[in-house]
Amino acid sequence: MGLRLGDTAPDFTADTTDGSINFHSWLGDSWGVLFSHPKDFTPVCTTELGRVAKLKAQFDKRNVKVIGLSVDPVTSHVQWEKDIEETQGEAVNFPMIGDADRKVSDLYDMIHPNANDTMTVRSVFVIGPDKKVKLMITYPASTGRNFDEILRVIDSLQLTAKFKVATPVDWKDGDDVIIGGAVTDDEAKTLFPNGWKTVKPYLRVVPQPNK
Ligand code: BEZ
């Protein structure tokens, strides 16, 4: 059976552009983003990796470590990274796994044979400090990802891990949030002493607690 939300992210040791990495030890107490791209020296992937490199400060601010992967070897990643820096204006500043034996791709079900039987799809896994899988997204090779969306989801995951709230459609950090369904009105009075707006008994809106 494939990986599901809430499962422990499979551990592995792999060759990367930063040397051999044991995934769980490398994550330590941080959050993690593990993402795959289909192939080195391809255009969409080149733009994606440049974008992720430019967002490093945003990931750092959220205590998130990022690691990339494709089934190309580390030697290929190293050569390609020169092109990424040249064309995208940012050097790759996170490790890239060379998964030529597909060990990690198989563990994380990143090869979808009916899409392509040799290349990884564009998978994204967000992993919490408890090493549990918090988010999985899969994009086709032809569509570059929106990494602002990944940051937005991480903001929601980190907020909802701390407070008994959920985030509504298109929520962004700083917007109002929704009081968790399991929270009674009596409990809500203690948790949100400044009050909330009841739109429906099941839809109670409150300012974001940590702002
Ligand atoms: C790309 O990154 O442009 C790409 C990679 C694999 C297949 C198609 C496009």
Side-chain angles (χ1 to χ4, degrees), residues 114-128:
N114 290 328
N116 189 294
D117 57 11
T118 55
M119 297 189 297
T120 43
V121 289
R122 297 187 198 279
S123 297
V124 184
F125 295 87
V126 175
I127 293 146

Side-chain angles (χ1 to χ4, degrees), residues 164 179-185 187 204:
K164 291 184 175 179
I179 298 175
V183 177
T184 63
D185 279 352
E187 192 187 354
R204 296 165 296 172

Side-chain angles (χ1 to χ4, degrees), residues 35 45-60 66-68 81 84-86 88-96 147 151:
F35 73 107
C45 301
T46 299
T47 62
E48 286 192 323
L49 269 65
R51 178 70 182 143
V52 174
K54 283 185 178 147
L55 289 172
K56 177 164 174 49
Q58 293 299 319
F59 287 110
D60 286 350
V66 175
I67 190 162
E81 286 186 0
I84 296 169
E85 181 171 8
E86 180 192 323
Q88 307 304 305
E90 194 76 38
V92 175
N93 45 28
F94 52 88
M96 296 253 286
F147 285 91
L151 288 169

Side-chain angles (χ1 to χ4, degrees), residues 35-42 44-46 48-49 69-72 77 80 105 110-111 116 118-123 139-145:
F35 73 107
S36 57
H37 61 269
K39 199 168 174 44
D40 292 4
F41 298 100
T42 52
V44 176
C45 301
T46 299
E48 286 192 323
L49 269 65
L69 172 149
S70 84
V71 295
D72 296 299
H77 293 342
W80 180 37
S105 310
M110 290 166 163
I111 294 177
N116 189 294
T118 55
M119 297 189 297
T120 43
V121 289
R122 297 187 198 279
S123 297
Y139 289 65
S142 52
T143 305
R145 286 158 282 200

Side-chain angles (χ1 to χ4, degrees), residues 121-179:
V121 289
R122 297 187 198 279
S123 297
V124 184
F125 295 87
V126 175
I127 293 146
D130 56 0
K131 309 288 184 295
K132 304 287 184 199
V133 177
K134 307 293 183 186
L135 172 84
M136 301 187 291
I137 319 183
T138 308
Y139 289 65
S142 52
T143 305
R145 286 158 282 200
N146 182 333
F147 285 91
D148 291 321
E149 167 63 2
I150 308 301
L151 288 169
R152 190 192 74 85
V153 180
I154 289 169
D155 284 341
S156 172
L157 288 167
Q158 294 186 340
L159 182 76
T160 58
K162 243 189 189 160
F163 300 97
K164 291 184 175 179
V165 298
T167 60
V169 60
D170 293 340
W171 173 88
K172 293 185 304 303
D173 187 41
D175 289 352
D176 288 352
V177 298
I178 293 170
I179 298 175

